[in-house]
Structure formats: structure tokens, C-alpha cells
């Protein structure tokens, strides 16, 4: 291995460490606790080293969001591939999405609430975000119904899931009623 390859590998490892540490700190204490100073202390590198990877907290949030999008897409695909039939896939998708939001609140915030400097719903949207949407579209497109554009239906269904996730997390909806909400959403919106 050349010196250049070793340096690139070490740089990638430092970047992974920064993102993992930011994510861990955000999940434990919230995003307000994530500062470059605290990250530098936790990973035992100087702040200039952090800034050599990320210009600031916004880019770190973006990196966590991209990682989270990939994880969410994988979880949705795993759940839907194990389900039998279109409605069952949609129900599995909804449960998985809501579970992901509940178990990864800081990542979910990085994806959908905070400014990570990422473009959404545009040509320059990063691939992990496009792929996460595609993971939803794969199951939702088949239940959109006649005359309804599958991507538009996916946006509406996703918005419904997002509303359920955020309202439940904020205590405005009772978590014990989540299964009933999923069933209602699937039975009313998924027509196939």
C-alpha cells in the first residue's frame, strides 16, 4: 500500500469517526450538544482536523442524513421484500419507516428537520436521498391507483408517515395507537 493510499484510508476512517461520534452525541443529548469543540474532545483530534473534513456542523448533519437515508432505504427494502402482496408491503414499509423514526430520532431530524445543506427533490439531490425515496416508491407505486402518478402518491404517503412520526414523537399522538394508524392509512390510501 502506498503512502497516498494509507493517508486516504486514514482520512476516510477519521471522517467515519467524526460522523459516528456526532450521531452518537446527537442521539444521546440532541443536536444542540453537537459542537466541533465537543466532537474534537471526544474523538481526540483538534478542531482544525475536524474542519479539514467538514466546514462545520451543517455538513456533519448532512453526512449523518446521508448515512441515515441509506440505512432507512435498506430497512424498508428488507421489510417489504419479506412481505406478501402489495398491501402487506405497504404496511411493512409504514411500520419500518415509523420504527426507524422512533429509534433514530437524531438521524431522522438530520434527514427531515435540520439543515444539512442537502438538496431534496432536485436533479442535484445526493444519491442516498434519491435511493431512500426510490425504496418507498418501489412498494407505494404499485398501490397508487389508476390515474395517480406513483411518485406523487409516494410523496403524499410519505408526508402522512412523516406527520405520524413527528406528532407521535412530540407526544401529540399516543404511541400505542400506531398500529391502528398504519392500518387506517394503508386501508384508505393503498388501493391495489
Amino acid at each position: 500500500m502506498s503512502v497516498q493510499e494509507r493517508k486516504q484510508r486514514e482520512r476516510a476512517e477519521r471522517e467515519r469517526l467524526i460522523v459516528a461520534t456526532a450521531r452518537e452525541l446527537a442521539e444521546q443529548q440532541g443536536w444542540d450538544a453537537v459542537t466541533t469543540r465537543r466532537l474534537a474532545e471526544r474523538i481526540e483530534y483538534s478542531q482544525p482536523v475536524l474542519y479539514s473534513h467538514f466546514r462545520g456542523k451543517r455538513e456533519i448533519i448532512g453526512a449523518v442524513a446521508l448515512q441515515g437515508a441509506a440505512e432507512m432505504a435498506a430497512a424498508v427494502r428488507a421489510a417489504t421484500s419479506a412481505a406478501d402482496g402489495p398491501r402487506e408491503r405497504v404496511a411493512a414499509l409504514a411500520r419500518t419507516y415509523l420504527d426507524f423514526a422512533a429509534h433514530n430520532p437524531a438521524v431522522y431530524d438530520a434527514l427531515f428537520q435540520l439543515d444539512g445543506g442537502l438538496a431534496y427533490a432536485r436533479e442535484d439531490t445526493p444519491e442516498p436521498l434519491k435511493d431512500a425515496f426510490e425504496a418507498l416508491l418501489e412498494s407505494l407505486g404499485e398501490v397508487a391507483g389508476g390515474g395517480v402518478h406513483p411518485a406523487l402518491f409516494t410523496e403524499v404517503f410519505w408526508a402522512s408517515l412523516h406527520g405520524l412520526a413527528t406528532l407521535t414523537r412530540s407526544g401529540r399522538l399516543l404511541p400505542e395507537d400506531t398500529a391502528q394508524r398504519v392500518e387506517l392509512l394503508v386501508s384508505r390510501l393503498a388501493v391495489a
Side-chain angles (χ1 to χ4, degrees):
M1 175 182 296
S2 73
V3 173
Q4 181 66 18
E5 290 171 328
R6 183 182 53 79
K7 285 184 178 186
Q8 287 175 339
R9 190 183 75 229
E10 289 171 356
R11 180 172 176 75
E13 185 55 39
R14 270 194 315 271
E15 192 166 302
R16 279 190 292 277
L17 179 61
I18 293 165
V19 172
T21 303
R23 181 177 176 164
E24 179 184 321
L25 187 57
E27 292 292 2
Q28 292 171 352
Q29 299 176 28
W31 278 104
D32 287 342
V34 179
T35 64
T36 53
R37 192 170 124 238
R38 288 186 81 187
L39 285 174
E41 288 170 5
R42 283 210 175 188
I43 65 171
E44 298 178 346
Y45 282 103
S46 67
Q47 284 181 306
V49 169
L50 285 174
Y51 285 117
S52 75
H53 290 273
F54 300 99
R55 285 182 289 208
K57 183 176 175 176
R58 181 179 186 222
E59 284 189 4
I60 294 169
I61 290 169
V64 169
L66 293 176
Q67 186 181 74
E71 291 170 10
M72 186 174 68
V76 164
R77 285 189 174 107
T80 57
S81 70
D84 235 1
R87 282 186 179 234
E88 292 78 13
R89 278 190 286 282
V90 173
L93 177 153
R95 286 189 301 271
T96 301
Y97 182 97
L98 294 172
D99 285 348
F100 183 88
H103 292 101
N104 302 282
V107 173
Y108 191 81
D109 284 349
L111 268 165
F112 302 120
Q113 303 286 89
L114 302 174
D115 178 10
L118 303 173
Y120 285 79
R122 296 190 338 214
E123 284 298 314
D124 60 339
T125 297
E127 283 307 314
L129 298 178
K130 288 180 181 179
D131 188 54
F133 184 80
E134 183 63 32
L136 301 177
L137 180 62
E138 288 164 7
S139 292
L140 293 169
E142 64 184 331
V143 296
V148 178
H149 192 283
L152 184 61
F153 178 79
T154 299
E155 290 172 350
V156 171
F157 200 93
W158 169 33
S160 299
L161 291 175
H162 177 70
L164 290 174
T166 56
L167 290 170
T168 301
R169 189 166 126 201
S170 68
R172 287 165 174 81
L173 296 176
L174 297 174
E176 57 266 22
D177 293 334
T178 297
Q180 291 173 312
R181 288 187 196 99
V182 167
E183 179 55 35
L184 180 62
L185 187 63
V186 171
S187 68
R188 300 294 181 178
L189 291 182
V191 297

